PDB file of all heavy atoms in Angstrom:
ATOM      1  N   ARG A  42    -153.138-157.916  93.133  1.00  0.00           N
ATOM      2  CA  ARG A  42    -154.337-158.551  92.570  1.00  0.00           C
ATOM      3  C   ARG A  42    -154.152-158.669  91.067  1.00  0.00           C
ATOM      4  O   ARG A  42    -154.655-157.878  90.304  1.00  0.00           O
ATOM      5  CB  ARG A  42    -155.583-157.723  92.921  1.00  0.00           C
ATOM      6  CG  ARG A  42    -155.864-157.713  94.411  1.00  0.00           C
ATOM      7  CD  ARG A  42    -157.160-156.957  94.730  1.00  0.00           C
ATOM      8  NE  ARG A  42    -157.030-155.530  94.462  1.00  0.00           N
ATOM      9  CZ  ARG A  42    -157.680-154.918  93.493  1.00  0.00           C
ATOM     10  NH1 ARG A  42    -158.471-155.600  92.668  1.00  0.00           N
ATOM     11  NH2 ARG A  42    -157.536-153.625  93.316  1.00  0.00           N
ATOM     12  N   SER A  57    -144.220-161.644  61.666  1.00  0.00           N
ATOM     13  CA  SER A  57    -143.635-160.611  60.788  1.00  0.00           C
ATOM     14  C   SER A  57    -143.534-159.250  61.467  1.00  0.00           C
ATOM     15  O   SER A  57    -142.864-158.346  60.963  1.00  0.00           O
ATOM     16  CB  SER A  57    -144.469-160.492  59.510  1.00  0.00           C
ATOM     17  OG  SER A  57    -145.770-160.030  59.826  1.00  0.00           O
ATOM     18  N   GLN A  58    -144.202-159.130  62.558  1.00  0.00           N
ATOM     19  CA  GLN A  58    -144.171-157.832  63.249  1.00  0.00           C
ATOM     20  C   GLN A  58    -143.083-157.764  64.324  1.00  0.00           C
ATOM     21  O   GLN A  58    -143.090-156.891  65.173  1.00  0.00           O
ATOM     22  CB  GLN A  58    -145.535-157.546  63.890  1.00  0.00           C
ATOM     23  CG  GLN A  58    -146.648-157.325  62.872  1.00  0.00           C
ATOM     24  CD  GLN A  58    -147.950-156.924  63.535  1.00  0.00           C
ATOM     25  OE1 GLN A  58    -148.049-156.984  64.744  1.00  0.00           O
ATOM     26  NE2 GLN A  58    -148.928-156.524  62.735  1.00  0.00           N
ATOM     27  N   ARG A  63    -140.111-154.730  68.422  1.00  0.00           N
ATOM     28  CA  ARG A  63    -138.876-154.291  69.060  1.00  0.00           C
ATOM     29  C   ARG A  63    -138.799-152.752  69.099  1.00  0.00           C
ATOM     30  O   ARG A  63    -138.331-152.157  70.070  1.00  0.00           O
ATOM     31  CB  ARG A  63    -137.678-154.860  68.302  1.00  0.00           C
ATOM     32  CG  ARG A  63    -137.462-156.366  68.572  1.00  0.00           C
ATOM     33  CD  ARG A  63    -136.088-156.804  68.097  1.00  0.00           C
ATOM     34  NE  ARG A  63    -135.961-156.672  66.644  1.00  0.00           N
ATOM     35  CZ  ARG A  63    -136.328-157.621  65.784  1.00  0.00           C
ATOM     36  NH1 ARG A  63    -136.844-158.759  66.215  1.00  0.00           N
ATOM     37  NH2 ARG A  63    -136.167-157.428  64.483  1.00  0.00           N
ATOM     38  N   GLY A 103    -151.018-157.801  83.053  1.00  0.00           N
ATOM     39  CA  GLY A 103    -151.939-158.579  83.868  1.00  0.00           C
ATOM     40  C   GLY A 103    -152.721-157.727  84.858  1.00  0.00           C
ATOM     41  O   GLY A 103    -153.725-158.196  85.396  1.00  0.00           O
ATOM     42  N   ALA A 109    -152.467-150.238  87.795  1.00  0.00           N
ATOM     43  CA  ALA A 109    -151.071-149.933  87.488  1.00  0.00           C
ATOM     44  C   ALA A 109    -150.834-148.418  87.496  1.00  0.00           C
ATOM     45  O   ALA A 109    -149.878-147.920  88.082  1.00  0.00           O
ATOM     46  CB  ALA A 109    -150.693-150.512  86.127  1.00  0.00           C
ATOM     47  N   CYS A 123    -161.226-143.936  81.581  1.00  0.00           N
ATOM     48  CA  CYS A 123    -161.490-145.160  80.804  1.00  0.00           C
ATOM     49  C   CYS A 123    -162.970-145.283  80.455  1.00  0.00           C
ATOM     50  O   CYS A 123    -163.341-145.628  79.328  1.00  0.00           O
ATOM     51  CB  CYS A 123    -161.044-146.395  81.592  1.00  0.00           C
ATOM     52  SG  CYS A 123    -159.265-146.518  81.817  1.00  0.00           S
ATOM     53  N   VAL A 137    -150.797-136.219  84.926  1.00  0.00           N
ATOM     54  CA  VAL A 137    -150.735-136.695  86.308  1.00  0.00           C
ATOM     55  C   VAL A 137    -149.356-136.384  86.863  1.00  0.00           C
ATOM     56  O   VAL A 137    -148.377-136.245  86.120  1.00  0.00           O
ATOM     57  CB  VAL A 137    -151.018-138.209  86.404  1.00  0.00           C
ATOM     58  CG1 VAL A 137    -152.441-138.519  85.987  1.00  0.00           C
ATOM     59  CG2 VAL A 137    -150.020-138.997  85.574  1.00  0.00           C
ATOM     60  N   THR A 141    -144.089-139.686  94.220  1.00  0.00           N
ATOM     61  CA  THR A 141    -142.799-140.118  94.773  1.00  0.00           C
ATOM     62  C   THR A 141    -141.662-139.183  94.413  1.00  0.00           C
ATOM     63  O   THR A 141    -140.760-138.948  95.214  1.00  0.00           O
ATOM     64  CB  THR A 141    -142.467-141.536  94.280  1.00  0.00           C
ATOM     65  OG1 THR A 141    -142.491-141.544  92.842  1.00  0.00           O
ATOM     66  CG2 THR A 141    -143.481-142.539  94.816  1.00  0.00           C
ATOM     67  N   LEU A 191    -150.563 -97.305  92.256  1.00  0.00           N
ATOM     68  CA  LEU A 191    -149.759 -96.162  92.661  1.00  0.00           C
ATOM     69  C   LEU A 191    -150.033 -94.960  91.761  1.00  0.00           C
ATOM     70  O   LEU A 191    -150.092 -93.819  92.235  1.00  0.00           O
ATOM     71  CB  LEU A 191    -148.277 -96.524  92.620  1.00  0.00           C
ATOM     72  CG  LEU A 191    -147.312 -95.426  93.090  1.00  0.00           C
ATOM     73  CD1 LEU A 191    -147.591 -95.045  94.536  1.00  0.00           C
ATOM     74  CD2 LEU A 191    -145.869 -95.856  92.925  1.00  0.00           C
ATOM     75  N   ALA A 198    -152.740 -87.000  94.389  1.00  0.00           N
ATOM     76  CA  ALA A 198    -151.882 -86.410  95.423  1.00  0.00           C
ATOM     77  C   ALA A 198    -151.533 -84.983  95.031  1.00  0.00           C
ATOM     78  O   ALA A 198    -150.801 -84.760  94.071  1.00  0.00           O
ATOM     79  CB  ALA A 198    -150.624 -87.253  95.602  1.00  0.00           C
ATOM     80  N   PRO A 243    -137.566 -93.494 113.894  1.00  0.00           N
ATOM     81  CA  PRO A 243    -137.727 -92.565 115.023  1.00  0.00           C
ATOM     82  C   PRO A 243    -137.396 -91.145 114.592  1.00  0.00           C
ATOM     83  O   PRO A 243    -136.625 -90.926 113.647  1.00  0.00           O
ATOM     84  CB  PRO A 243    -136.720 -93.100 116.060  1.00  0.00           C
ATOM     85  CG  PRO A 243    -135.713 -93.867 115.266  1.00  0.00           C
ATOM     86  CD  PRO A 243    -136.467 -94.449 114.099  1.00  0.00           C
ATOM     87  N   HIS A 279    -123.603-102.301 104.053  1.00  0.00           N
ATOM     88  CA  HIS A 279    -123.756-100.848 104.197  1.00  0.00           C
ATOM     89  C   HIS A 279    -122.550-100.250 104.915  1.00  0.00           C
ATOM     90  O   HIS A 279    -121.984 -99.225 104.490  1.00  0.00           O
ATOM     91  CB  HIS A 279    -125.045-100.543 104.966  1.00  0.00           C
ATOM     92  CG  HIS A 279    -125.503 -99.116 104.866  1.00  0.00           C
ATOM     93  ND1 HIS A 279    -124.776 -98.068 105.392  1.00  0.00           N
ATOM     94  CD2 HIS A 279    -126.617 -98.553 104.314  1.00  0.00           C
ATOM     95  CE1 HIS A 279    -125.403 -96.929 105.171  1.00  0.00           C
ATOM     96  NE2 HIS A 279    -126.529 -97.193 104.517  1.00  0.00           N
ATOM     97  N   SER A 316    -136.702 -99.370 103.116  1.00  0.00           N
ATOM     98  CA  SER A 316    -135.861-100.207 103.971  1.00  0.00           C
ATOM     99  C   SER A 316    -136.666-101.334 104.595  1.00  0.00           C
ATOM    100  O   SER A 316    -137.901-101.307 104.632  1.00  0.00           O
ATOM    101  CB  SER A 316    -135.201 -99.353 105.060  1.00  0.00           C
ATOM    102  OG  SER A 316    -136.179 -98.668 105.808  1.00  0.00           O
ATOM    103  N   LEU A 347    -144.508 -78.024  93.165  1.00  0.00           N
ATOM    104  CA  LEU A 347    -145.015 -76.817  92.511  1.00  0.00           C
ATOM    105  C   LEU A 347    -146.337 -76.386  93.135  1.00  0.00           C
ATOM    106  O   LEU A 347    -146.594 -75.193  93.330  1.00  0.00           O
ATOM    107  CB  LEU A 347    -145.189 -77.075  91.010  1.00  0.00           C
ATOM    108  CG  LEU A 347    -143.895 -77.343  90.229  1.00  0.00           C
ATOM    109  CD1 LEU A 347    -144.221 -77.698  88.782  1.00  0.00           C
ATOM    110  CD2 LEU A 347    -142.963 -76.144  90.288  1.00  0.00           C
ATOM    111  N   LEU A 452    -165.627 -52.482  88.568  1.00  0.00           N
ATOM    112  CA  LEU A 452    -164.627 -53.529  88.331  1.00  0.00           C
ATOM    113  C   LEU A 452    -165.012 -54.445  87.179  1.00  0.00           C
ATOM    114  O   LEU A 452    -164.153 -55.126  86.619  1.00  0.00           O
ATOM    115  CB  LEU A 452    -164.426 -54.364  89.612  1.00  0.00           C
ATOM    116  CG  LEU A 452    -163.841 -53.625  90.812  1.00  0.00           C
ATOM    117  CD1 LEU A 452    -163.766 -54.559  92.014  1.00  0.00           C
ATOM    118  CD2 LEU A 452    -162.470 -53.060  90.485  1.00  0.00           C
ATOM    119  N   PRO A 467    -169.461 -46.730 121.942  1.00  0.00           N
ATOM    120  CA  PRO A 467    -169.442 -47.131 123.359  1.00  0.00           C
ATOM    121  C   PRO A 467    -170.104 -46.125 124.283  1.00  0.00           C
ATOM    122  O   PRO A 467    -170.362 -46.439 125.447  1.00  0.00           O
ATOM    123  CB  PRO A 467    -167.936 -47.244 123.655  1.00  0.00           C
ATOM    124  CG  PRO A 467    -167.291 -46.288 122.712  1.00  0.00           C
ATOM    125  CD  PRO A 467    -168.126 -46.334 121.467  1.00  0.00           C
ATOM    126  N   ALA A 505    -176.242 -54.450  93.774  1.00  0.00           N
ATOM    127  CA  ALA A 505    -177.206 -53.984  94.773  1.00  0.00           C
ATOM    128  C   ALA A 505    -177.908 -52.720  94.279  1.00  0.00           C
ATOM    129  O   ALA A 505    -177.442 -52.024  93.371  1.00  0.00           O
ATOM    130  CB  ALA A 505    -176.494 -53.714  96.096  1.00  0.00           C
ATOM    131  N   GLU A 583    -160.730 -64.978 121.559  1.00  0.00           N
ATOM    132  CA  GLU A 583    -159.819 -65.978 121.016  1.00  0.00           C
ATOM    133  C   GLU A 583    -160.362 -67.383 121.242  1.00  0.00           C
ATOM    134  O   GLU A 583    -160.315 -68.242 120.359  1.00  0.00           O
ATOM    135  CB  GLU A 583    -158.435 -65.842 121.658  1.00  0.00           C
ATOM    136  CG  GLU A 583    -157.695 -64.572 121.305  1.00  0.00           C
ATOM    137  CD  GLU A 583    -157.163 -64.599 119.879  1.00  0.00           C
ATOM    138  OE1 GLU A 583    -157.169 -65.681 119.259  1.00  0.00           O
ATOM    139  OE2 GLU A 583    -156.757 -63.530 119.381  1.00  0.00           O
ATOM    140  N   GLY A 621    -171.343 -33.915 129.353  1.00  0.00           N
ATOM    141  CA  GLY A 621    -171.906 -33.176 128.236  1.00  0.00           C
ATOM    142  C   GLY A 621    -172.752 -32.014 128.693  1.00  0.00           C
ATOM    143  O   GLY A 621    -173.380 -32.057 129.766  1.00  0.00           O
ATOM    144  N   ALA A 631    -168.451 -19.408 124.734  1.00  0.00           N
ATOM    145  CA  ALA A 631    -167.047 -19.819 124.800  1.00  0.00           C
ATOM    146  C   ALA A 631    -166.527 -19.732 126.230  1.00  0.00           C
ATOM    147  O   ALA A 631    -165.807 -20.622 126.706  1.00  0.00           O
ATOM    148  CB  ALA A 631    -166.204 -18.962 123.866  1.00  0.00           C
ATOM    149  N   ASP A 646    -158.689 -35.365 137.328  1.00  0.00           N
ATOM    150  CA  ASP A 646    -157.250 -35.257 137.606  1.00  0.00           C
ATOM    151  C   ASP A 646    -156.451 -35.080 136.323  1.00  0.00           C
ATOM    152  O   ASP A 646    -155.367 -35.662 136.152  1.00  0.00           O
ATOM    153  CB  ASP A 646    -156.735 -36.485 138.376  1.00  0.00           C
ATOM    154  CG  ASP A 646    -157.343 -36.577 139.765  1.00  0.00           C
ATOM    155  OD1 ASP A 646    -157.599 -35.511 140.357  1.00  0.00           O
ATOM    156  OD2 ASP A 646    -157.579 -37.709 140.235  1.00  0.00           O
ATOM    157  N   ALA A 649    -153.202 -31.166 133.796  1.00  0.00           N
ATOM    158  CA  ALA A 649    -152.143 -30.891 132.829  1.00  0.00           C
ATOM    159  C   ALA A 649    -152.701 -30.564 131.455  1.00  0.00           C
ATOM    160  O   ALA A 649    -152.002 -29.972 130.616  1.00  0.00           O
ATOM    161  CB  ALA A 649    -151.190 -32.084 132.738  1.00  0.00           C
TER     162      ALA A 649
END
Side-chain angles (χ1 to χ4, degrees):
R42 294 184 292 112
S57 64
Q58 293 185 351
R63 285 194 296 273
C123 293
V137 295
T141 56
L191 183 60
H279 195 295
S316 56
L347 295 175
L452 295 177
E583 293 286 348
D646 294 327

